[in-house]
Amino acid sequence: MKCWLLLLLLATCCAGADQPDRRSGYSLLGPDLRALQDDDFANPGMLWVDRGERLWNAASGPNQQSCRDCHGDPVNLRDLANRLPRFDATTNRLDNLDMLIRQCRTQRQQAEALTHESEDLLALTTLVAHQSRGLPLEVVVDGPASTAFEQGRASFERRRGQLDLSCADCHEKLRGARLRGETISAGMVNGFPLYRLTWEGLGSRQRMIRWCNEAVRAKPMDPESQRALALELYLAWRSRGLALEAPAVRR
Ligand code: HEC
Ligand code: HEC
């Protein structure tokens, strides 16, 4: 851990200033990984899309209804994932894609709940997010969403963990520095759900937040808490205008 800190200190003097840089993590990939993401037959994340399609068509619940029975083709949910999380003024809280799918699953399909980060839920979120591939991220952060948005911003800037680093310290000040063999990106969320080679699997934005929190030895956040969703909203706003890439590939 000591040499890691040293590395961070060294990196501070070399990394760029904190001018806004909204480049997708894709820009840091080498040609091999870019090719892997771009080729739908090779992209490992597409396995989750395929699995999601099977689940989309599977009848479940007391009325034996599938997602398709009510929603038709998944493409009907295009232009949704790029606009999430979103504040729901009737329930007075933020929802992300995981939560919208989980709610629909139990309330409308009346089927057994999908657990957070389960392979089935990841498959459905990836299928739905994939429909919006190429669309720009665009979340609403004013009006009733503004309090949550400010909470998210504060959370991004708050130092945490034994290393006493904020998200902004790494993804703004130390952007471009090398850490554990990886180049620190601007921390954009336009690729999610995405396949990470270090995970040997696919994960959500909330899994990434957990991974980064663990890296600085900070206390984990409940991924469904409004606090965690407020941070996700801020991340989506930071990534505004970038094209959704789900399922992206990252190191
Ligand atoms: C010690 C430095 C460090 C801190 C602090 C840190 N991260 Fe990261 N983060 C990384 C590294 C390393 C990666 C993997 C390489 C990359 O994509 O930047 C990463 C990746 C990410 C990504 C994925 C980027 C992509 O293109 O897929 C997001 C989003 C992210 N971090 C968000 C956060 C948030 C939110 C926090 C605060 C809770 C945070 N990070 C704190 C180092 C850090
Ligand atoms: C019994 C009919 C029914 C079934 C079955 C059903 N849904 Fe829904 N779903 C709805 C209705 C109605 C809404 C709310 C209206 C809307 O936004 O389309 C909705 C909303 C949603 C939303 C939010 C859409 C938005 O724009 O806000 C998502 C995501 C979703 N459903 C996903 C699914 C998935 C995935 C499945 C299968 C696991 C599923 N639904 C099964 C009827 C259903």
Side-chain angles (χ1 to χ4, degrees), residues 100-144:
L100 289 176
I101 291 178
R102 291 187 62 187
Q103 279 160 31
C104 204
R105 169 86 174 174
T106 50
Q107 290 168 13
R108 299 198 183 93
Q109 194 176 32
Q110 295 170 35
E112 75 281 7
L114 296 164
T115 47
H116 177 75
E117 281 298 311
S118 63
E119 291 297 317
D120 281 358
L121 182 58
L122 282 171
L124 285 167
T125 52
T126 309
L127 171 71
V128 174
H130 182 62
Q131 307 307 311
S132 300
R133 189 158 71 166
L135 295 180
L137 263 64
E138 203 179 337
V139 286
V140 176
V141 299
D142 57 1

mmCIF file of all heavy atoms in Angstrom, residues 100-144:
data_model
loop_
_atom_site.group_PDB
_atom_site.id
_atom_site.type_symbol
_atom_site.label_atom_id
_atom_site.label_comp_id
_atom_site.label_asym_id
_atom_site.label_seq_id
_atom_site.Cartn_x
_atom_site.Cartn_y
_atom_site.Cartn_z
ATOM 1 N N LEU A 100 -36.106 0.077 -11.712
ATOM 2 C CA LEU A 100 -37.311 0.077 -12.551
ATOM 3 C C LEU A 100 -37.643 -1.346 -12.986
ATOM 4 O O LEU A 100 -38.815 -1.748 -12.994
ATOM 5 C CB LEU A 100 -37.114 0.972 -13.773
ATOM 6 C CG LEU A 100 -37.076 2.475 -13.505
ATOM 7 C CD1 LEU A 100 -36.771 3.228 -14.798
ATOM 8 C CD2 LEU A 100 -38.387 2.970 -12.897
ATOM 9 N N ILE A 101 -36.622 -2.107 -13.357
ATOM 10 C CA ILE A 101 -36.869 -3.483 -13.802
ATOM 11 C C ILE A 101 -37.325 -4.349 -12.627
ATOM 12 O O ILE A 101 -38.286 -5.118 -12.735
ATOM 13 C CB ILE A 101 -35.615 -4.069 -14.489
ATOM 14 C CG1 ILE A 101 -35.390 -3.345 -15.826
ATOM 15 C CG2 ILE A 101 -35.749 -5.573 -14.696
ATOM 16 C CD1 ILE A 101 -34.158 -3.785 -16.587
ATOM 17 N N ARG A 102 -36.668 -4.183 -11.499
ATOM 18 C CA ARG A 102 -37.068 -4.981 -10.335
ATOM 19 C C ARG A 102 -38.501 -4.672 -9.925
ATOM 20 O O ARG A 102 -39.263 -5.569 -9.556
ATOM 21 C CB ARG A 102 -36.123 -4.716 -9.169
ATOM 22 C CG ARG A 102 -34.731 -5.263 -9.429
ATOM 23 C CD ARG A 102 -33.873 -5.138 -8.209
ATOM 24 N NE ARG A 102 -34.444 -5.915 -7.112
ATOM 25 C CZ ARG A 102 -33.985 -5.887 -5.883
ATOM 26 N NH1 ARG A 102 -32.963 -5.137 -5.582
ATOM 27 N NH2 ARG A 102 -34.549 -6.610 -4.954
ATOM 28 N N GLN A 103 -38.871 -3.389 -9.976
ATOM 29 C CA GLN A 103 -40.241 -3.014 -9.599
ATOM 30 C C GLN A 103 -41.253 -3.606 -10.559
ATOM 31 O O GLN A 103 -42.279 -4.131 -10.157
ATOM 32 C CB GLN A 103 -40.399 -1.489 -9.628
ATOM 33 C CG GLN A 103 -39.873 -0.809 -8.377
ATOM 34 C CD GLN A 103 -39.600 0.669 -8.638
ATOM 35 O OE1 GLN A 103 -40.264 1.301 -9.453
ATOM 36 N NE2 GLN A 103 -38.604 1.210 -7.951
ATOM 37 N N CYS A 104 -40.955 -3.512 -11.858
ATOM 38 C CA CYS A 104 -41.896 -4.034 -12.835
ATOM 39 C C CYS A 104 -42.047 -5.535 -12.664
ATOM 40 O O CYS A 104 -43.141 -6.076 -12.765
ATOM 41 C CB CYS A 104 -41.420 -3.693 -14.244
ATOM 42 S SG CYS A 104 -42.797 -3.680 -15.384
ATOM 43 N N ARG A 105 -40.940 -6.168 -12.417
ATOM 44 C CA ARG A 105 -40.929 -7.614 -12.229
ATOM 45 C C ARG A 105 -41.854 -8.054 -11.083
ATOM 46 O O ARG A 105 -42.632 -8.984 -11.236
ATOM 47 C CB ARG A 105 -39.479 -8.030 -11.935
ATOM 48 C CG ARG A 105 -39.290 -9.416 -11.455
ATOM 49 C CD ARG A 105 -39.167 -10.370 -12.597
ATOM 50 N NE ARG A 105 -38.841 -11.702 -12.107
ATOM 51 C CZ ARG A 105 -38.793 -12.762 -12.877
ATOM 52 N NH1 ARG A 105 -39.026 -12.657 -14.165
ATOM 53 N NH2 ARG A 105 -38.502 -13.937 -12.372
ATOM 54 N N THR A 106 -41.783 -7.393 -9.945
ATOM 55 C CA THR A 106 -42.609 -7.834 -8.813
ATOM 56 C C THR A 106 -44.014 -7.244 -8.865
ATOM 57 O O THR A 106 -44.978 -7.937 -8.561
ATOM 58 C CB THR A 106 -41.957 -7.454 -7.457
ATOM 59 O OG1 THR A 106 -41.604 -6.078 -7.487
ATOM 60 C CG2 THR A 106 -40.730 -8.288 -7.183
ATOM 61 N N GLN A 107 -44.143 -5.979 -9.293
ATOM 62 C CA GLN A 107 -45.465 -5.342 -9.212
ATOM 63 C C GLN A 107 -46.362 -5.668 -10.402
ATOM 64 O O GLN A 107 -47.542 -5.902 -10.227
ATOM 65 C CB GLN A 107 -45.311 -3.828 -9.077
ATOM 66 C CG GLN A 107 -44.751 -3.455 -7.706
ATOM 67 C CD GLN A 107 -44.302 -2.002 -7.635
ATOM 68 O OE1 GLN A 107 -44.610 -1.209 -8.510
ATOM 69 N NE2 GLN A 107 -43.562 -1.661 -6.593
ATOM 70 N N ARG A 108 -45.804 -5.685 -11.623
ATOM 71 C CA ARG A 108 -46.670 -5.896 -12.792
ATOM 72 C C ARG A 108 -46.628 -7.340 -13.277
ATOM 73 O O ARG A 108 -47.651 -7.937 -13.530
ATOM 74 C CB ARG A 108 -46.276 -4.941 -13.910
ATOM 75 C CG ARG A 108 -46.438 -3.489 -13.474
ATOM 76 C CD ARG A 108 -46.489 -2.546 -14.638
ATOM 77 N NE ARG A 108 -46.582 -1.164 -14.183
ATOM 78 C CZ ARG A 108 -45.524 -0.373 -13.992
ATOM 79 N NH1 ARG A 108 -44.308 -0.824 -14.230
ATOM 80 N NH2 ARG A 108 -45.689 0.864 -13.582
ATOM 81 N N GLN A 109 -45.409 -7.888 -13.381
ATOM 82 C CA GLN A 109 -45.324 -9.291 -13.797
ATOM 83 C C GLN A 109 -45.692 -10.196 -12.619
ATOM 84 O O GLN A 109 -46.064 -11.346 -12.800
ATOM 85 C CB GLN A 109 -43.892 -9.595 -14.283
ATOM 86 C CG GLN A 109 -43.746 -10.890 -15.054
ATOM 87 C CD GLN A 109 -42.334 -11.081 -15.579
ATOM 88 O OE1 GLN A 109 -41.358 -10.654 -14.958
ATOM 89 N NE2 GLN A 109 -42.195 -11.723 -16.723
ATOM 90 N N GLN A 110 -45.597 -9.679 -11.436
ATOM 91 C CA GLN A 110 -45.888 -10.407 -10.186
ATOM 92 C C GLN A 110 -45.087 -11.699 -10.077
ATOM 93 O O GLN A 110 -45.588 -12.721 -9.602
ATOM 94 C CB GLN A 110 -47.388 -10.688 -10.066
ATOM 95 C CG GLN A 110 -48.221 -9.413 -9.938
ATOM 96 C CD GLN A 110 -49.709 -9.682 -10.070
ATOM 97 O OE1 GLN A 110 -50.203 -10.712 -9.646
ATOM 98 N NE2 GLN A 110 -50.420 -8.746 -10.671
ATOM 99 N N ALA A 111 -43.856 -11.631 -10.548
ATOM 100 C CA ALA A 111 -42.980 -12.807 -10.473
ATOM 101 C C ALA A 111 -42.011 -12.632 -9.308
ATOM 102 O O ALA A 111 -41.950 -11.566 -8.698
ATOM 103 C CB ALA A 111 -42.234 -12.963 -11.786
ATOM 104 N N GLU A 112 -41.236 -13.670 -9.022
ATOM 105 C CA GLU A 112 -40.316 -13.597 -7.876
ATOM 106 C C GLU A 112 -39.260 -12.516 -8.137
ATOM 107 O O GLU A 112 -38.853 -12.285 -9.274
ATOM 108 C CB GLU A 112 -39.673 -14.962 -7.571
ATOM 109 C CG GLU A 112 -38.576 -15.448 -8.497
ATOM 110 C CD GLU A 112 -39.112 -16.044 -9.814
ATOM 111 O OE1 GLU A 112 -40.346 -15.960 -10.057
ATOM 112 O OE2 GLU A 112 -38.296 -16.571 -10.578
ATOM 113 N N ALA A 113 -38.868 -11.840 -7.067
ATOM 114 C CA ALA A 113 -37.956 -10.693 -7.177
ATOM 115 C C ALA A 113 -36.613 -11.115 -7.762
ATOM 116 O O ALA A 113 -36.151 -12.238 -7.555
ATOM 117 C CB ALA A 113 -37.761 -10.080 -5.798
ATOM 118 N N LEU A 114 -36.019 -10.193 -8.507
ATOM 119 C CA LEU A 114 -34.667 -10.407 -9.012
ATOM 120 C C LEU A 114 -33.719 -9.738 -8.025
ATOM 121 O O LEU A 114 -33.916 -8.576 -7.674
ATOM 122 C CB LEU A 114 -34.511 -9.740 -10.382
ATOM 123 C CG LEU A 114 -35.370 -10.295 -11.509
ATOM 124 C CD1 LEU A 114 -35.420 -9.325 -12.683
ATOM 125 C CD2 LEU A 114 -34.811 -11.642 -11.961
ATOM 126 N N THR A 115 -32.705 -10.468 -7.581
ATOM 127 C CA THR A 115 -31.822 -9.861 -6.579
ATOM 128 C C THR A 115 -30.777 -8.979 -7.242
ATOM 129 O O THR A 115 -30.378 -9.202 -8.386
ATOM 130 C CB THR A 115 -31.122 -10.926 -5.705
ATOM 131 O OG1 THR A 115 -30.618 -11.924 -6.568
ATOM 132 C CG2 THR A 115 -32.074 -11.520 -4.701
ATOM 133 N N HIS A 116 -30.347 -7.993 -6.481
ATOM 134 C CA HIS A 116 -29.368 -7.021 -6.936
ATOM 135 C C HIS A 116 -28.091 -7.720 -7.417
ATOM 136 O O HIS A 116 -27.577 -8.590 -6.746
ATOM 137 C CB HIS A 116 -29.049 -6.065 -5.781
ATOM 138 C CG HIS A 116 -28.005 -5.079 -6.144
ATOM 139 N ND1 HIS A 116 -28.274 -4.002 -6.965
ATOM 140 C CD2 HIS A 116 -26.696 -5.019 -5.855
ATOM 141 C CE1 HIS A 116 -27.160 -3.322 -7.154
ATOM 142 N NE2 HIS A 116 -26.180 -3.910 -6.492
ATOM 143 N N GLU A 117 -27.589 -7.310 -8.590
ATOM 144 C CA GLU A 117 -26.370 -7.863 -9.203
ATOM 145 C C GLU A 117 -26.484 -9.342 -9.549
ATOM 146 O O GLU A 117 -25.478 -9.979 -9.839
ATOM 147 C CB GLU A 117 -25.107 -7.675 -8.351
ATOM 148 C CG GLU A 117 -24.421 -6.299 -8.369
ATOM 149 C CD GLU A 117 -23.860 -5.764 -9.700
ATOM 150 O OE1 GLU A 117 -23.150 -6.486 -10.405
ATOM 151 O OE2 GLU A 117 -24.118 -4.588 -10.008
ATOM 152 N N SER A 118 -27.690 -9.917 -9.514
ATOM 153 C CA SER A 118 -27.809 -11.312 -9.943
ATOM 154 C C SER A 118 -27.604 -11.360 -11.453
ATOM 155 O O SER A 118 -27.799 -10.362 -12.151
ATOM 156 C CB SER A 118 -29.200 -11.865 -9.594
ATOM 157 O OG SER A 118 -30.202 -11.147 -10.298
ATOM 158 N N GLU A 119 -27.205 -12.508 -11.958
ATOM 159 C CA GLU A 119 -26.948 -12.643 -13.396
ATOM 160 C C GLU A 119 -28.223 -12.366 -14.203
ATOM 161 O O GLU A 119 -28.156 -11.793 -15.282
ATOM 162 C CB GLU A 119 -26.388 -14.029 -13.718
ATOM 163 C CG GLU A 119 -24.978 -14.256 -13.174
ATOM 164 C CD GLU A 119 -23.926 -13.311 -13.788
ATOM 165 O OE1 GLU A 119 -23.965 -13.101 -15.015
ATOM 166 O OE2 GLU A 119 -23.103 -12.773 -13.035
ATOM 167 N N ASP A 120 -29.376 -12.752 -13.675
ATOM 168 C CA ASP A 120 -30.627 -12.497 -14.400
ATOM 169 C C ASP A 120 -30.913 -10.997 -14.491
ATOM 170 O O ASP A 120 -31.305 -10.497 -15.547
ATOM 171 C CB ASP A 120 -31.813 -13.198 -13.715
ATOM 172 C CG ASP A 120 -31.865 -14.689 -14.054
ATOM 173 O OD1 ASP A 120 -31.006 -15.145 -14.848
ATOM 174 O OD2 ASP A 120 -32.745 -15.389 -13.517
ATOM 175 N N LEU A 121 -30.715 -10.286 -13.382
ATOM 176 C CA LEU A 121 -30.977 -8.846 -13.415
ATOM 177 C C LEU A 121 -29.966 -8.150 -14.333
ATOM 178 O O LEU A 121 -30.337 -7.290 -15.135
ATOM 179 C CB LEU A 121 -30.930 -8.252 -12.002
ATOM 180 C CG LEU A 121 -31.238 -6.755 -11.923
ATOM 181 C CD1 LEU A 121 -32.619 -6.431 -12.491
ATOM 182 C CD2 LEU A 121 -31.151 -6.252 -10.483
ATOM 183 N N LEU A 122 -28.697 -8.565 -14.248
ATOM 184 C CA LEU A 122 -27.685 -7.978 -15.134
ATOM 185 C C LEU A 122 -28.035 -8.220 -16.597
ATOM 186 O O LEU A 122 -27.839 -7.352 -17.447
ATOM 187 C CB LEU A 122 -26.302 -8.575 -14.834
ATOM 188 C CG LEU A 122 -25.593 -8.031 -13.593
ATOM 189 C CD1 LEU A 122 -24.357 -8.874 -13.300
ATOM 190 C CD2 LEU A 122 -25.216 -6.567 -13.767
ATOM 191 N N ALA A 123 -28.559 -9.407 -16.880
ATOM 192 C CA ALA A 123 -28.924 -9.732 -18.262
ATOM 193 C C ALA A 123 -30.032 -8.791 -18.740
ATOM 194 O O ALA A 123 -29.961 -8.236 -19.846
ATOM 195 C CB ALA A 123 -29.375 -11.186 -18.357
ATOM 196 N N LEU A 124 -31.038 -8.564 -17.911
ATOM 197 C CA LEU A 124 -32.135 -7.684 -18.320
ATOM 198 C C LEU A 124 -31.697 -6.227 -18.412
ATOM 199 O O LEU A 124 -32.070 -5.524 -19.347
ATOM 200 C CB LEU A 124 -33.330 -7.838 -17.361
ATOM 201 C CG LEU A 124 -34.130 -9.131 -17.551
ATOM 202 C CD1 LEU A 124 -35.085 -9.370 -16.385
ATOM 203 C CD2 LEU A 124 -34.902 -9.111 -18.876
ATOM 204 N N THR A 125 -30.879 -5.768 -17.447
ATOM 205 C CA THR A 125 -30.435 -4.370 -17.521
ATOM 206 C C THR A 125 -29.548 -4.169 -18.749
ATOM 207 O O THR A 125 -29.640 -3.144 -19.421
ATOM 208 C CB THR A 125 -29.673 -3.900 -16.260
ATOM 209 O OG1 THR A 125 -28.633 -4.822 -15.979
ATOM 210 C CG2 THR A 125 -30.581 -3.791 -15.060
ATOM 211 N N THR A 126 -28.710 -5.161 -19.061
ATOM 212 C CA THR A 126 -27.835 -5.017 -20.225
ATOM 213 C C THR A 126 -28.654 -5.016 -21.510
ATOM 214 O O THR A 126 -28.408 -4.205 -22.411
ATOM 215 C CB THR A 126 -26.774 -6.135 -20.256
ATOM 216 O OG1 THR A 126 -26.136 -6.199 -18.979
ATOM 217 C CG2 THR A 126 -25.702 -5.869 -21.298
ATOM 218 N N LEU A 127 -29.644 -5.898 -21.576
ATOM 219 C CA LEU A 127 -30.521 -5.918 -22.759
ATOM 220 C C LEU A 127 -31.203 -4.566 -22.947
ATOM 221 O O LEU A 127 -31.213 -4.021 -24.061
ATOM 222 C CB LEU A 127 -31.582 -7.024 -22.597
ATOM 223 C CG LEU A 127 -32.688 -7.020 -23.660
ATOM 224 C CD1 LEU A 127 -32.142 -7.468 -25.018
ATOM 225 C CD2 LEU A 127 -33.863 -7.912 -23.245
ATOM 226 N N VAL A 128 -31.760 -4.026 -21.883
ATOM 227 C CA VAL A 128 -32.494 -2.757 -22.003
ATOM 228 C C VAL A 128 -31.530 -1.608 -22.297
ATOM 229 O O VAL A 128 -31.790 -0.775 -23.171
ATOM 230 C CB VAL A 128 -33.349 -2.487 -20.738
ATOM 231 C CG1 VAL A 128 -33.979 -1.104 -20.801
ATOM 232 C CG2 VAL A 128 -34.440 -3.553 -20.595
ATOM 233 N N ALA A 129 -30.391 -1.564 -21.608
ATOM 234 C CA ALA A 129 -29.424 -0.479 -21.847
ATOM 235 C C ALA A 129 -28.895 -0.536 -23.281
ATOM 236 O O ALA A 129 -28.721 0.494 -23.939
ATOM 237 C CB ALA A 129 -28.269 -0.561 -20.852
ATOM 238 N N HIS A 130 -28.681 -1.753 -23.768
ATOM 239 C CA HIS A 130 -28.157 -1.942 -25.125
ATOM 240 C C HIS A 130 -29.054 -1.302 -26.190
ATOM 241 O O HIS A 130 -28.580 -0.866 -27.237
ATOM 242 C CB HIS A 130 -27.999 -3.447 -25.367
ATOM 243 C CG HIS A 130 -27.430 -3.798 -26.701
ATOM 244 N ND1 HIS A 130 -26.177 -3.410 -27.094
ATOM 245 C CD2 HIS A 130 -27.952 -4.503 -27.740
ATOM 246 C CE1 HIS A 130 -25.950 -3.850 -28.323
ATOM 247 N NE2 HIS A 130 -27.009 -4.516 -28.738
ATOM 248 N N GLN A 131 -30.354 -1.237 -25.904
ATOM 249 C CA GLN A 131 -31.294 -0.631 -26.870
ATOM 250 C C GLN A 131 -30.965 0.841 -27.109
ATOM 251 O O GLN A 131 -31.315 1.402 -28.131
ATOM 252 C CB GLN A 131 -32.751 -0.749 -26.374
ATOM 253 C CG GLN A 131 -33.193 -2.159 -25.991
ATOM 254 C CD GLN A 131 -32.941 -3.160 -27.115
ATOM 255 O OE1 GLN A 131 -33.292 -2.916 -28.262
ATOM 256 N NE2 GLN A 131 -32.332 -4.295 -26.767
ATOM 257 N N SER A 132 -30.333 1.484 -26.118
ATOM 258 C CA SER A 132 -30.031 2.916 -26.232
ATOM 259 C C SER A 132 -28.604 3.165 -26.698
ATOM 260 O O SER A 132 -28.115 4.293 -26.608
ATOM 261 C CB SER A 132 -30.247 3.601 -24.879
ATOM 262 O OG SER A 132 -31.577 3.455 -24.466
ATOM 263 N N ARG A 133 -27.933 2.128 -27.174
ATOM 264 C CA ARG A 133 -26.541 2.305 -27.601
ATOM 265 C C ARG A 133 -26.464 3.414 -28.647
ATOM 266 O O ARG A 133 -27.271 3.449 -29.581
ATOM 267 C CB ARG A 133 -25.982 1.005 -28.170
ATOM 268 C CG ARG A 133 -24.480 1.092 -28.409
ATOM 269 C CD ARG A 133 -23.846 -0.275 -28.441
ATOM 270 N NE ARG A 133 -24.207 -1.005 -29.650
ATOM 271 C CZ ARG A 133 -23.571 -2.104 -30.055
ATOM 272 N NH1 ARG A 133 -22.576 -2.610 -29.361
ATOM 273 N NH2 ARG A 133 -23.952 -2.718 -31.140
ATOM 274 N N GLY A 134 -25.516 4.324 -28.449
ATOM 275 C CA GLY A 134 -25.344 5.425 -29.387
ATOM 276 C C GLY A 134 -26.075 6.697 -28.990
ATOM 277 O O GLY A 134 -25.775 7.776 -29.502
ATOM 278 N N LEU A 135 -27.037 6.584 -28.074
ATOM 279 C CA LEU A 135 -27.774 7.791 -27.650
ATOM 280 C C LEU A 135 -26.981 8.529 -26.572
ATOM 281 O O LEU A 135 -26.327 7.909 -25.738
ATOM 282 C CB LEU A 135 -29.157 7.415 -27.108
ATOM 283 C CG LEU A 135 -30.128 6.797 -28.110
ATOM 284 C CD1 LEU A 135 -31.456 6.481 -27.428
ATOM 285 C CD2 LEU A 135 -30.345 7.739 -29.298
ATOM 286 N N PRO A 136 -27.051 9.857 -26.557
ATOM 287 C CA PRO A 136 -26.287 10.614 -25.558
ATOM 288 C C PRO A 136 -26.893 10.519 -24.162
ATOM 289 O O PRO A 136 -28.120 10.494 -24.012
ATOM 290 C CB PRO A 136 -26.384 12.059 -26.084
ATOM 291 C CG PRO A 136 -27.614 12.093 -26.919
ATOM 292 C CD PRO A 136 -27.785 10.717 -27.506
ATOM 293 N N LEU A 137 -26.037 10.456 -23.163
ATOM 294 C CA LEU A 137 -26.509 10.485 -21.780
ATOM 295 C C LEU A 137 -27.088 11.860 -21.485
ATOM 296 O O LEU A 137 -26.487 12.881 -21.841
ATOM 297 C CB LEU A 137 -25.360 10.192 -20.806
ATOM 298 C CG LEU A 137 -25.276 8.732 -20.345
ATOM 299 C CD1 LEU A 137 -24.965 7.832 -21.528
ATOM 300 C CD2 LEU A 137 -24.237 8.538 -19.269
ATOM 301 N N GLU A 138 -28.231 11.857 -20.865
ATOM 302 C CA GLU A 138 -28.942 13.105 -20.633
ATOM 303 C C GLU A 138 -29.871 12.917 -19.436
ATOM 304 O O GLU A 138 -30.934 12.327 -19.577
ATOM 305 C CB GLU A 138 -29.757 13.406 -21.899
ATOM 306 C CG GLU A 138 -30.117 14.844 -22.090
ATOM 307 C CD GLU A 138 -30.895 15.044 -23.394
ATOM 308 O OE1 GLU A 138 -30.786 14.210 -24.323
ATOM 309 O OE2 GLU A 138 -31.621 16.043 -23.453
ATOM 310 N N VAL A 139 -29.438 13.380 -18.266
ATOM 311 C CA VAL A 139 -30.287 13.212 -17.078
ATOM 312 C C VAL A 139 -30.796 14.569 -16.609
ATOM 313 O O VAL A 139 -30.164 15.590 -16.835
ATOM 314 C CB VAL A 139 -29.545 12.493 -15.915
ATOM 315 C CG1 VAL A 139 -29.385 11.018 -16.197
ATOM 316 C CG2 VAL A 139 -28.193 13.148 -15.621
ATOM 317 N N VAL A 140 -31.948 14.536 -15.957
ATOM 318 C CA VAL A 140 -32.541 15.762 -15.422
ATOM 319 C C VAL A 140 -31.999 15.979 -14.008
ATOM 320 O O VAL A 140 -32.083 15.080 -13.162
ATOM 321 C CB VAL A 140 -34.079 15.649 -15.390
ATOM 322 C CG1 VAL A 140 -34.692 16.886 -14.742
ATOM 323 C CG2 VAL A 140 -34.615 15.453 -16.800
ATOM 324 N N VAL A 141 -31.398 17.129 -13.786
ATOM 325 C CA VAL A 141 -30.799 17.383 -12.466
ATOM 326 C C VAL A 141 -31.377 18.637 -11.798
ATOM 327 O O VAL A 141 -30.960 18.995 -10.712
ATOM 328 C CB VAL A 141 -29.257 17.498 -12.565
ATOM 329 C CG1 VAL A 141 -28.650 16.206 -13.079
ATOM 330 C CG2 VAL A 141 -28.829 18.666 -13.451
ATOM 331 N N ASP A 142 -32.327 19.280 -12.468
ATOM 332 C CA ASP A 142 -32.893 20.490 -11.841
ATOM 333 C C ASP A 142 -34.277 20.170 -11.271
ATOM 334 O O ASP A 142 -34.685 19.007 -11.214
ATOM 335 C CB ASP A 142 -32.929 21.651 -12.848
ATOM 336 C CG ASP A 142 -33.727 21.306 -14.101
ATOM 337 O OD1 ASP A 142 -34.269 20.175 -14.171
ATOM 338 O OD2 ASP A 142 -33.810 22.142 -15.009
ATOM 339 N N GLY A 143 -35.000 21.184 -10.840
ATOM 340 C CA GLY A 143 -36.336 20.983 -10.278
ATOM 341 C C GLY A 143 -36.266 20.059 -9.077
ATOM 342 O O GLY A 143 -35.344 20.168 -8.265
ATOM 343 N N PRO A 144 -37.198 19.091 -8.994
ATOM 344 C CA PRO A 144 -37.227 18.215 -7.809
ATOM 345 C C PRO A 144 -35.983 17.326 -7.672
ATOM 346 O O PRO A 144 -35.729 16.790 -6.596
ATOM 347 C CB PRO A 144 -38.488 17.360 -8.011
ATOM 348 C CG PRO A 144 -38.904 17.569 -9.423
ATOM 349 C CD PRO A 144 -38.339 18.862 -9.896
#
